Amino acid sequence: MKDLTYPIIRFSLSSLKDWRNEAFITELLQSINKFGKDFIPQNYDRFQALKRKYNPEDISEVVDLFMNRETLACIQDSSIPSIDGSLLMEKRRGHKISYNISWKKSNIVGFNSFSMRIDINFLLKSQTNFRTALELFKEIISITEPIRGIIVNENIPGAFGEAENLRVIHPELHWINLFGKPYIELFGRDKLLSAPCYHVEELNKDVIALQLTENPFEPIPEEDRRLVKQHLGEEAFVSDGFTYRYNEIEKKKTKVPDFDFSEVMFDSNLPIEQLKITNMYNK
């Protein structure tokens, strides 16, 4: 296959696990490191451009950056009701891999997120490369405890940059879709395991993966998406071509999990707040 215009496969997930945890980020970085030079980043920082050199033999400064200790020290006596941390990492030479890991504690609740974006041309060089990337992602899943995740080919139209809000509705289905504990409780384990798609796999007791088609390098037929949505309940998923904003602004009835935000709240004694959405929906 010739080089692709936007040669990226994205592995991403959302979690409600408390990631403001040194043991968590240490285990995550050590997992990446053990997969070797093809996946170890060369630079890191909180923001672009990434000028700090990544040393897999000593990740202590990377851990400190992710924990955002300087900010935490400054707000000990502050009334700021929000704290966060993030880490960007990149491998630029040979083939490109980037990582984006972020957490937040706020009463305007959201989800912690992880993404790994890999050059498709590297994955296409051998089955071993793709298989190893999948094994790394599976290990990351076991550490991050996702409630939702995807593997998507960003070269395919419509697969990049979609707006989403899981509290309103589940976003579009892609090549591989991870359903964590809240969705297993919403749909039912048996319903997910019997979904009409190319492959279904129970990664662990709290994560089920639905693979819609065999090949991530071809567009997903809308009929394949429709069958899965019908099987699980169409009211839980965005309609083709729309984002969550349509359902939110038009007050469409949707089916969503009962998310437990207790680990990502800044103060569990205060109520959960909501962002006000005033802009028109995107089609």
Side-chain angles (χ1 to χ4, degrees):
M1 181 181 289
K2 65 181 180 180
D3 285 359
L4 300 169
T5 306
Y6 301 103
I8 293 294
I9 291 280
R10 173 164 51 95
F11 305 71
S12 63
L13 53 82
S14 303
S15 174
L16 290 174
K17 179 183 172 74
D18 184 1
W19 289 3
R20 190 187 65 170
N21 184 299
E22 185 171 325
F24 161 78
I25 188 60
T26 298
E27 183 181 8
L28 185 61
L29 294 174
Q30 288 175 343
S31 292
I32 292 172
N33 292 344
K34 79 177 186 180
F35 275 77
K37 62 182 181 61
D38 285 333
F39 296 91
I40 293 175
Q42 295 154 344
N43 299 84
Y44 75 96
D45 216 320
R46 284 199 68 186
F47 310 102
Q48 294 283 2
L50 311 186
K51 297 182 179 180
R52 307 187 194 208
K53 299 298 183 183
Y54 184 89
N55 177 8
E57 302 301 321
D58 182 4
I59 59 173
S60 58
E61 292 185 1
V62 189
V63 170
D64 286 344
L65 184 74
F66 180 77
M67 294 293 292
N68 200 5
R69 298 189 193 281
E70 292 182 4
T71 299
L72 296 179
C74 293
I75 67 170
Q76 291 301 314
D77 299 320
S78 171
S79 61
I80 299 174
S82 180
I83 51 176
D84 61 70
S86 61
L87 175 63
L88 304 179
M89 305 188 295
E90 287 184 349
K91 179 188 182 305
R92 298 170 178 169
R93 294 190 296 273
H95 56 273
K96 294 182 179 180
I97 296 181
S98 66
Y99 301 88
N100 188 337
I101 315 162
S102 64
W103 61 267
K104 186 174 184 179
K105 280 184 171 285
S106 171
N107 280 58
I108 302 178
V109 292
F111 301 86
N112 297 331
S113 65
F114 170 93
S115 70
M116 176 174 68
R117 303 173 76 238
I118 303 181
D119 185 343
I120 288 177
N121 296 306
F122 164 71
L123 299 177
L124 286 171
K125 283 183 178 179
S126 73
Q127 291 184 350
T128 299
N129 289 352
F130 209 152
R131 188 162 51 247
T132 304
L134 289 172
E135 287 303 314
L136 171 56
F137 193 52
K138 284 183 179 180
E139 187 156 321
I140 288 168
I141 288 168
S142 70
I143 298 168
T144 55
E145 299 181 21
I147 54 94
R148 182 250 175 180
I150 58 172
I151 302 179
V152 57
N153 183 347
E154 292 189 352
N155 188 61
I156 295 175
F160 180 76
E162 61 181 337
E164 63 179 57
N165 185 339
L166 298 180
R167 296 182 69 188
V168 175
I169 198 167
H170 191 285
E172 189 56 274
L173 296 171
H174 293 291
W175 180 57
I176 288 182
N177 308 270
L178 305 179
F179 293 93
K181 185 177 180 180
Y183 285 102
I184 294 174
E185 293 174 348
L186 178 70
F187 297 128
R189 186 177 303 275
D190 291 342
K191 199 77 169 177
L192 281 164
L193 292 175
S194 61
C197 56
Y198 176 77
H199 179 67
V200 180
E201 183 174 353
E202 193 168 16
L203 299 181
N204 58 55
K205 67 180 181 63
D206 290 330
V207 181
I208 294 173
L210 303 188
Q211 179 179 335
L212 266 60
T213 60
E214 180 180 10
N215 187 353
F217 305 109
E218 301 293 340
I220 298 170
E222 281 308 315
E223 178 66 7
D224 291 15
R225 287 191 171 106
R226 185 184 65 81
L227 289 173
V228 173
K229 291 177 183 179
Q230 284 186 338
H231 177 77
L232 297 176
E234 291 180 287
E235 68 275 18
F237 300 93
V238 295
S239 302
D240 179 29
F242 287 86
T243 72
Y244 78 90
R245 293 192 181 103
Y246 171 76
N247 297 278
E248 187 168 51
I249 293 173
E250 297 298 313
K251 301 187 184 304
K252 296 289 184 179
K253 184 178 179 181
T254 60
K255 181 180 178 180
V256 296
D258 182 16
F259 293 115
D260 178 2
F261 292 101
S262 59
E263 291 194 44
V264 297
M265 292 179 66
F266 180 81
D267 187 342
S268 59
N269 295 315
L270 297 175
I272 292 175
E273 302 176 30
Q274 296 190 43
L275 287 173
K276 302 299 182 181
I277 303 297
T278 57
N279 57 313
M280 291 300 291
Y281 64 83
N282 290 338
K283 188 175 180 181

